[in-house]
């Protein structure tokens, strides 16, 4: 068997110009009418990325993925970055089993024993196979997915008692150990029990003396260094594996406007009209492609996309849950976490209604705490804004556990974002959104040919769900005599990387701070290899905002506006933006940032900044460089961080 290369084929790049080039190639190809893709994948988030990479891994499939915006720019970049099967879902599974057996009552869940049994099975299946998926991701893309220790806290109002929590987490860890042994990397149990508050304090001295925690247990889980980057790298890997005979294309800023089935003998195909959403005077606004199947991974907009046909069904198959997240730091938190690895552990309080994850992250050379996540029903997928009480809920959950020096306020928060989760609609009975099973669902719809809807695709399971969808596509192609797809290999196939990319990994221990030359190179790398085309998307979703986090003289969190100006200047230079485009890009970022930060103090720093100067015909990076204030950058370029001058 030929070993897969670690880097993409020579000469292949993955930048915004590729979108233009691929769109032009698509136009030329369709003018000849000689290509019918195996599938058109709608949506460039985790769901679509999983399908594209799986079909590419088989070596003889063709696919075209489109997204109306940047890849991973919506739900998939607004997560808690967790790569985990979910201890919450394990608890929900056992809770449903007890409800089905009549051993527990829950007035909020009014379902039959059969419905509870089905939900229990789905949640337990999610945890069992999710443990496998976490291991596969850590093995195949170790530069993006790593382990993190967490401590679960049993509180007076926790939904489960101490011994039930100890049993559940131990079982969770056993699943991990079993998959490790099956993968020929044996390991034993890594859980650590803390039977009372004193034991917890010996392990975590930054806990508050009056912390409500009664007991705790430590276990290991996974995290993505950046959720958007994981999605991008999966799409990029698929693109690199395409060939002339079996092309794999991925186009951002291209939208499916309409599709319809055309009969062609015994087979037939979908005629899919694509609408170009990026500016280009020489290219047509629309192009029509052919495909045997459609994979609908449009997330919250799944129902709308499915109905863009002459045979809409008007069916609502998804409901929405919203989740807000915040990131906060100050000099004390940064320096304390940097100095003591023992404190670099996630805190997971088992609250009565919703467990939160309070995790330390080291990214862009800064240590910060991410508090995640809320879980509430939502209606409008186009309007998702963090609410003040959600910010308070997350701050309270963290501050209740830690002592006064570690507490955070709205003044320490530098980033707030809110994502929306599309969940499979309940199949009968009254049930709150937060109690719905989180096992993904794949539904086939007949629109002349098959349209496969994907709902509930979590970041952890996107490879698994992608394989399941492509197996159904393969069965369809085989049944119609089109071709026989090879077997999926994503369970062992390492992600292709870009040479030198590790230098810009956000979680590097020696990631420099305040180095203007490095910032310029980093922006250039993201434009060339990670499809950075939107200023707001780069700062908010790819994590660029963290490069602008500094501390004032009192050690409080601050935003360096000069860094924001420098990033805009570099993107403008790399992508040829004029002053008007720069102004639009700044306005879009400022709108989103100030809206999300409406209940935090640093909002005013961005709101009051004038943005790019209107009289500039082209943004001059040399002019902006001098505005970058590096007098008090994080880490102070000290020997501990290893940062360069």
């Amino acid at each position: 068997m030929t070993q897969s290369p670690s880097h993409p084929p020579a000469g292949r790049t993955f930048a915004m110009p590729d979108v233009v080039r691929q769109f032009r190639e698509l136009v030329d190809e369709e003018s000849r009418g000689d290509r019918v893709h195996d599938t058109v994948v709608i949506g460039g988030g985790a769901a679509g990325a999983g399908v594209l990479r799986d079909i590419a891994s088989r070596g003889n499939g063709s696919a075209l993925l489109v997204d109306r915006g940047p890849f991973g720019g919506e739900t998939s970049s607004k997560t808690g970055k967790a790569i985990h099967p979910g201890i919450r879902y394990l608890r929900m599974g056992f809770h449903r089993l007890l409800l089905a057996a009549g051993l527990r009552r829950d007035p909020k869940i009014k379902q039959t024993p059969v419905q509870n049994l089905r939900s229990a099975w789905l949640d337990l299946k999610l945890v069992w196979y999710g443990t496998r998926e976490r291991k596969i991701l850590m093995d195949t893309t170790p530069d993006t997915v790593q382990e993190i220790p967490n401590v679960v806290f049993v509180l007076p109002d926790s939904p489960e008692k101490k011994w039930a929590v100890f049993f559940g987490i131990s079982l969770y860890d056993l699943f991990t150990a079993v998959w490790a042994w099956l993968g020929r990397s044996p390991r034993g149990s890594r859980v650590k029990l803390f039977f009372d508050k004193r034991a917890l304090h010996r392990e975590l001295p930054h806990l508050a003396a009056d912390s409500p925690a009664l007991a705790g247990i430590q276990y290991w889980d996974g995290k993505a260094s950046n959720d958007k980057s994981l999605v991008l790298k999966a799409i990029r890997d698929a693109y690199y594996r395409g060939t002339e005979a079996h092309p794999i294309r991925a186009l951002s800023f291209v939208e499916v406007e309409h599709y319809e089935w055309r009969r062609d003998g015994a087979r037939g195909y979908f005629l899919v009209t694509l609408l170009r959403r990026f500016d280009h005077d020489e290219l047509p606004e629309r192009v029509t492609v052919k495909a045997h199947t459609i994979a609908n991974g449009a997330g919250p907009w799944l129902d709308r996309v499915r109905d863009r046909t002459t045979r809409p069904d008007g069916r609502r198959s998804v409901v929405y849950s919203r989740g807000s997240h915040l990131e906060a730091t100050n000099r004390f938190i940064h320096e304390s976490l940097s100095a003591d690895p023992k404190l670099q552990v996630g805190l997971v309080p088992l609250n009565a209604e919703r467990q939160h994850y309070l995790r330390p992250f080291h990214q862009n050379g800064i240590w910060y705490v991410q508090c995640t996540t809320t879980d509430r029903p939502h209606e409008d997928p186009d309007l998702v804004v963090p609410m003040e009480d959600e910010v308070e809920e997350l701050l309270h959950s963290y501050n209740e556990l830690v002592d006064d020096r570690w507490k955070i306020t709205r003044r320490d928060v530098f980033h707030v974002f809110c994502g929306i989760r599309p969940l499979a609609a309940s199949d009968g009975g009254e049930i709150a959104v937060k109690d719905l099973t989180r096992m993904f669902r794949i539904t086939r719809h007949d629109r002349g040919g098959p349209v496969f809807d994907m709902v509930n695709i979590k970041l952890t399971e996107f490879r698994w769900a992608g394989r399941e969808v492509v197996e159904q596509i393969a069965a369809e192609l085989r049944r119609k005599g089109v071709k026989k797809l090879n077997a999926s290999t994503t369970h062992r196939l390492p992600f292709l990387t870009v040479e030198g990319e590790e230098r810009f990994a956000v979680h590097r221990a020696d990631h420099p701070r305040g180095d203007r030359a490095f910032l310029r190179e980093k922006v250039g790398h993201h434009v060339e290899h990670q499809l950075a085309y939107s200023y707001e998307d780069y700062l908010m979703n790819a994590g660029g905002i963290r490069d602008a986090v500094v501390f004032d003289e009192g050690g409080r969190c601050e935003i360096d506006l000069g860094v924001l100006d420098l990033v805009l200047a570099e993107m403008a230079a790399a992508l040829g933006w004029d002053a008007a485009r720069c102004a639009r890009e700044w306005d879009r970022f400022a709108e989103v940032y100030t809206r999300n930060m409406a209940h935090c103090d640093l909002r005013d720093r961005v709101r009051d900044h004038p943005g790019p100067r209107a009289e500039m015909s082209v943004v001059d990076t040399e002019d902006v460089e001098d505005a970058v204030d590096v007098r008090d950058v994080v880490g102070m370029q000290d020997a501990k961080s290893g940062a360069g001058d």
Side-chain angles (χ1 to χ4, degrees):
M1 178 178 173
T2 303
Q3 187 174 1
S4 174
S6 59
H7 298 303
R12 298 207 76 178
T13 60
F14 193 76
M16 188 58 201
D18 279 341
V19 174
V20 176
R21 176 174 56 79
Q22 289 183 66
F23 195 88
R24 180 182 290 112
E25 289 177 354
L26 211 54
V27 171
D28 293 342
E29 189 173 85
E30 292 309 310
S31 67
R32 300 191 301 270
D34 58 356
R35 174 80 64 190
V36 181
H37 296 276
D38 294 330
T39 192
V40 166
V41 184
I42 306 172
V51 173
L52 193 73
R53 186 167 190 260
D54 188 89
I55 203 166
S57 79
R58 296 168 186 254
N60 67 334
S62 63
L64 172 66
L65 180 145
V66 296
D67 193 290
R68 66 176 182 175
F71 295 142
E74 294 293 343
T75 301
S76 299
S77 61
K78 296 172 176 62
T79 76
K81 302 184 184 67
I83 301 297
H84 67 165
I87 57 173
R88 175 191 177 195
Y89 312 132
L90 183 65
R91 190 197 76 79
M92 287 173 63
F94 280 111
H95 182 57
R96 292 302 194 105
L97 283 176
L98 293 173
L99 290 176
L103 300 176
R104 179 177 286 184
R105 297 178 62 83
D106 189 337
K108 300 188 297 296
I109 301 178
K110 298 177 181 178
Q111 293 196 308
T112 66
V114 172
Q115 289 169 334
N116 278 319
L117 275 176
R118 180 177 181 275
S119 293
W121 157 246
L122 290 174
D123 280 326
L124 293 174
K125 178 181 178 182
L126 177 66
V127 176
W128 169 245
Y129 286 108
T131 309
R132 176 194 67 187
E133 294 305 301
R134 180 186 59 197
K135 181 181 187 304
I136 289 173
L137 285 173
M138 286 193 294
D139 289 345
T140 56
T141 179
D143 59 334
T144 311
V145 178
Q146 303 89 32
E147 278 192 315
I148 182 174
N150 298 278
V151 174
V152 173
F153 296 92
V154 182
L155 308 177
D157 64 347
S158 290
E160 306 294 344
K161 301 301 182 184
K162 176 170 66 175
W163 296 108
V165 174
F166 285 178
F167 169 76
I169 300 298
S170 298
L171 180 63
Y172 188 81
D173 185 74
L174 177 62
F175 288 177
T176 302
V178 169
W179 283 112
W181 279 85
L182 292 175
R184 299 180 183 178
S185 51
R187 53 151 281 189
S189 174
R190 297 175 68 183
V191 300
K192 189 174 183 180
L193 304 178
F194 307 102
F195 293 97
D196 53 35
K197 189 178 295 189
R198 285 179 298 177
L200 281 170
H201 274 278
R202 285 194 297 270
E203 181 73 13
L204 301 170
H206 64 317
L207 294 183
D210 59 350
S211 163
L214 302 176
I217 180 171
Q218 180 175 293
Y219 71 102
W220 290 77
D221 231 325
K223 65 180 176 67
S225 56
N226 185 278
D227 38 17
K228 177 182 172 69
S229 289
L230 178 58
V231 171
L232 274 171
K233 289 178 180 180
I235 294 173
R236 188 181 68 185
D237 177 270
Y239 165 75
Y240 286 151
R241 296 182 190 280
T243 64
E244 186 175 348
H246 306 289
I248 302 292
R249 290 202 177 97
L251 287 84
S252 54
F253 300 95
V254 174
E255 184 173 11
V256 169
E257 185 178 51
H258 180 77
Y259 69 93
E260 60 180 286
W261 182 256
R262 292 288 179 87
R263 295 210 171 273
D264 182 16
R267 293 180 180 175
Y269 54 81
F270 284 108
L271 211 57
V272 185
T273 302
L274 306 178
L275 175 66
R276 171 174 57 81
R277 293 172 60 93
F278 59 88
D279 295 332
H280 199 287
D281 294 336
E282 299 175 6
L283 289 174
E285 190 175 10
R286 291 173 177 81
V287 62
T288 302
V289 300
K290 300 172 185 176
H292 294 292
T293 64
I294 291 177
N296 184 5
W301 301 274
L302 178 141
D303 290 334
R304 296 183 193 175
V305 168
R306 189 181 63 251
D307 281 350
R308 290 177 184 172
T309 177
T310 52
R311 298 173 56 193
D313 59 16
R315 177 172 173 262
R316 185 180 183 187
S317 60
V318 297
V319 293
Y320 308 125
S321 168
R322 54 179 286 119
S324 288
H325 318 252
L326 66 82
E327 297 175 346
T329 191
N330 53 47
R331 188 191 300 279
F332 173 80
I333 288 176
H334 165 73
E335 292 182 349
S336 299
L337 287 172
S338 179
D340 190 353
K342 189 177 181 180
L343 301 175
Q344 298 166 14
V345 57
L347 312 179
V348 188
L350 291 182
N351 300 308
E353 289 297 317
R354 168 68 179 172
Q355 70 188 49
H356 297 122
Y357 291 89
L358 316 168
R359 297 187 183 96
F361 277 87
H362 180 258
Q363 298 199 348
N364 302 60
I366 184 174
W367 278 100
Y368 65 91
V369 177
Q370 184 188 73
C371 301
T372 179
T373 174
T374 58
D375 193 4
R376 304 183 184 184
H378 191 79
E379 289 298 324
D380 185 357
D382 294 313
L383 181 62
V384 190
V385 183
M387 305 302 289
E388 184 173 15
D389 62 331
E390 291 179 298
V391 172
E392 282 300 316
E393 176 185 328
L394 294 171
L395 289 175
H396 174 76
S397 183
Y398 175 76
N399 288 334
E400 190 177 40
L401 288 176
V402 297
D403 71 26
D404 289 345
R405 296 172 303 164
W406 285 82
K407 293 186 190 303
I408 54 178
T409 69
R410 299 187 190 199
R411 181 64 178 81
D412 301 305
V413 177
F414 64 87
H415 191 200
V416 182
F417 54 101
C418 186
I420 184 167
R421 310 177 187 93
L423 306 175
S426 173
D427 53 354
E430 295 182 28
I431 182 170
V433 167
K434 70 181 184 65
D435 294 318
L436 283 172
T437 177
R438 300 302 165 97
M439 178 63 190
F440 64 81
R441 183 178 298 178
I442 300 166
T443 305
R444 173 182 170 138
H445 301 273
D446 184 10
R447 294 294 182 270
V451 176
F452 299 101
D453 283 354
M454 297 173 278
V455 184
N456 268 20
I457 312 298
K458 290 169 67 255
L459 200 63
T460 306
E461 289 84 35
F462 82 99
R463 186 213 68 89
W464 173 21
R467 188 197 65 193
E468 294 293 313
V469 172
V470 179
E471 284 298 314
Q472 295 193 40
I473 291 172
E476 181 72 16
L477 298 177
R478 187 169 58 249
R479 184 179 68 82
K480 290 187 174 180
V482 176
K483 67 169 64 169
K484 181 180 179 181
L485 287 179
N486 297 330
S488 171
T489 59
T490 53
H491 61 289
R492 63 173 185 271
L493 195 64
F495 280 53
L496 294 174
T497 60
V498 175
E499 190 169 0
E501 185 169 58
E502 65 278 359
R503 179 167 176 253
F504 302 102
V506 296
H507 60 286
R508 279 186 66 119
D510 59 349
H511 196 105
R513 296 286 303 182
D515 186 326
R516 290 169 287 181
F518 178 82
L519 281 176
R520 289 196 298 271
E521 291 180 58
K522 180 180 176 182
V523 171
H525 166 81
H526 276 263
V527 169
E528 183 175 0
H529 297 295
Q530 295 202 32
L531 218 64
Y533 189 68
S534 159
Y535 180 62
E536 176 261 326
D537 181 59
Y538 175 74
L539 289 177
M540 301 289 284
N541 297 329
I545 189 68
R546 298 182 197 108
D547 284 317
V549 174
V550 292
F551 303 132
D552 63 18
E553 292 181 358
R556 306 302 300 273
C557 187
E558 185 59 274
I559 293 292
D560 189 334
L561 299 172
V563 170
L564 300 184
D565 290 341
L566 178 61
V567 170
L568 180 58
E570 276 304 309
M571 292 191 73
L575 294 165
W577 294 345
D578 60 15
R581 174 67 182 271
C582 287
R584 292 197 302 272
E585 293 288 331
W586 171 264
D587 288 346
R588 174 58 181 163
F589 159 69
E591 174 193 358
V592 174
Y593 187 78
T594 57
R595 180 194 69 199
N596 289 354
M597 292 281 289
H599 311 294
C600 301
D601 296 0
L602 290 181
R603 166 184 184 259
D604 295 342
R605 288 284 287 156
V606 169
R607 184 194 62 185
D608 298 337
H609 187 55
R613 297 191 299 274
E615 67 272 14
M616 294 170 66
S617 58
V618 176
V619 177
D620 189 337
T621 60
E622 297 299 326
D623 289 345
V624 176
E625 277 183 13
D626 296 332
V628 182
D629 184 0
V630 295
R631 291 171 298 174
D632 195 30
V633 296
V634 175
M636 301 298 291
Q637 312 296 336
D638 57 13
K640 282 191 300 182
S641 69
D645 293 333

